[in-house]
Amino acid sequence: MSDPMEDLPYEDRIAHIRLRFVDSLAERFEEIRTALKSAPEEGTRDSHVRTIHRLFHDMAGSAAMLEIEVLESAVRPAVHIAERVDAAQSELTDVEKHELDAIIEQAQAVAVQLKEQFRPT
């Protein structure tokens, strides 16, 4: 069975992938917010902060790869905060959590605009 995406021109395939990514952002932001609100679990392989760091890093990296610079720029400061705390093997302070939450709010506003921008006409 053939994949219908294979028959599309490269730019159309990328546009489809970009739209799927943008459509997934609300769920991704919710996953990050849930992780921010949860307590660190003892005995887990990844630290609580590492999970948050990875989620932000994946989002920023995917946005960069799909050439959605406005979202990558909005999320990159969160990557830096989580990366710094993760490298120190520490936990997020209330101030850092507040900063990450503010970044998420700004990035969500960007995501709404992207949804309109990338929606097929």
Side-chain angles (χ1 to χ4, degrees):
M1 183 176 207
S2 173
D3 181 2
M5 290 288 287
E6 290 177 8
D7 298 332
L8 293 175
Y10 176 76
E11 287 301 318
D12 290 346
R13 285 183 291 177
I14 295 299
H16 180 74
I17 292 167
R18 203 175 274 131
L19 182 59
R20 275 194 355 231
F21 173 70
V22 168
D23 283 344
S24 76
L25 289 174
E27 185 177 307
R28 290 171 184 252
F29 284 124
E30 187 58 36
E31 184 178 7
I32 294 170
R33 281 189 191 272
T34 298
L36 280 170
K37 291 177 185 175
S38 68
E41 293 182 29
E42 292 297 320
T44 56
R45 190 168 155 251
D46 276 350
S47 74
H48 180 244
V49 173
R50 178 150 303 150
T51 298
I52 293 166
H53 175 197
R54 188 179 67 248
L55 291 168
F56 277 123
H57 189 273
D58 288 350
M59 184 182 292
S62 294
M65 186 174 57
L66 292 169
E67 298 178 349
I68 308 174
E69 290 88 8
V70 65
L71 180 64
E72 192 272 336
S73 295
V75 174
R76 188 58 61 190
V79 174
H80 294 306
I81 292 168
E83 184 175 50
R84 179 177 34 82
V85 175
D86 185 21
Q89 297 181 341
S90 186
E91 283 299 325
L92 293 164
T93 65
D94 287 341
V95 170
E96 290 162 334
K97 287 179 184 180
H98 181 73
E99 289 173 358
L100 292 175
D101 203 43
I103 291 168
I104 290 170
E105 283 197 33
Q106 291 173 342
Q108 283 178 311
V110 169
V112 169
Q113 292 172 344
L114 289 171
K115 216 169 191 174
E116 292 175 19
Q117 177 183 343
F118 293 126
R119 183 69 46 212
T121 55

